[in-house]
Amino acid sequence: TKVGDVGDTMFFLCEGACQATVNGEVLEKLSSGQCFGEVALLKICKKLQQGVRKEDAVAGVVRIANVEAVSDCQLLQLDAGDACSLMKKAPSLRYSLEMLSRSRSDHASHARSNVE
């Protein structure tokens, strides 16, 4: 994924390794069992729960970091609609993703501000 891309899906890393970067700075190294793409996806889910149509909910919600493979990877993809349904059934999943999202958003903001 790339900074600025529409963020209507998140990914679960089943095998392999990736790294998240902003402006060339490595924010995090990801390995099997981790996920990425939750920051934008949570924003979309919030809009969908408020009754916003999916096309409108996705508009303007973009990725905050680049994530690139550093080895061969196997990923599972979860789109916003399915993610919202899943989080309604499993509120603890939403909570965990929100905590992860806050941490990653702060880290990405800090990396962007170091360049400006």
Side-chain angles (χ1 to χ4, degrees):
T1 64
K2 293 183 181 179
V3 170
D5 285 352
V6 172
D8 60 347
T9 55
M10 68 176 291
F11 301 90
F12 296 88
L13 187 55
C14 299
E15 291 181 18
C18 297
Q19 63 182 15
T21 64
V22 170
N23 297 322
E25 179 184 338
V26 176
L27 303 176
E28 186 175 358
K29 294 183 179 190
L30 304 165
S31 59
S32 298
Q34 293 184 288
C35 64
F36 59 94
E38 76 290 338
V39 174
L41 184 120
L42 285 167
K43 291 177 185 176
I44 292 170
C45 283
K46 184 175 181 178
K47 290 181 179 184
L48 290 173
Q49 288 178 334
Q50 295 169 343
V52 176
R53 290 183 349 186
K54 184 174 181 180
E55 298 77 24
D56 296 330
V58 170
V61 179
V62 296
R63 306 257 182 229
I64 63 166
N66 301 308
V67 177
E68 50 198 29
V70 295
S71 69
D72 289 340
C73 294
Q74 182 178 19
L75 302 169
L76 292 177
Q77 179 177 325
L78 183 63
D79 75 11
D82 290 337
C84 291
S85 296
L86 183 59
M87 286 186 273
K88 280 182 185 177
K89 294 175 185 173
S92 61
L93 173 62
R94 173 182 288 283
Y95 177 78
S96 295
L97 290 175
E98 286 173 346
M99 294 298 102
L100 180 61
S101 175
R102 279 191 201 113
S103 173
R104 287 180 171 170
S105 293
D106 291 346
H107 200 170
S109 293
H110 185 263
R112 282 192 300 274
S113 67
N114 285 341
V115 172
E116 296 171 353

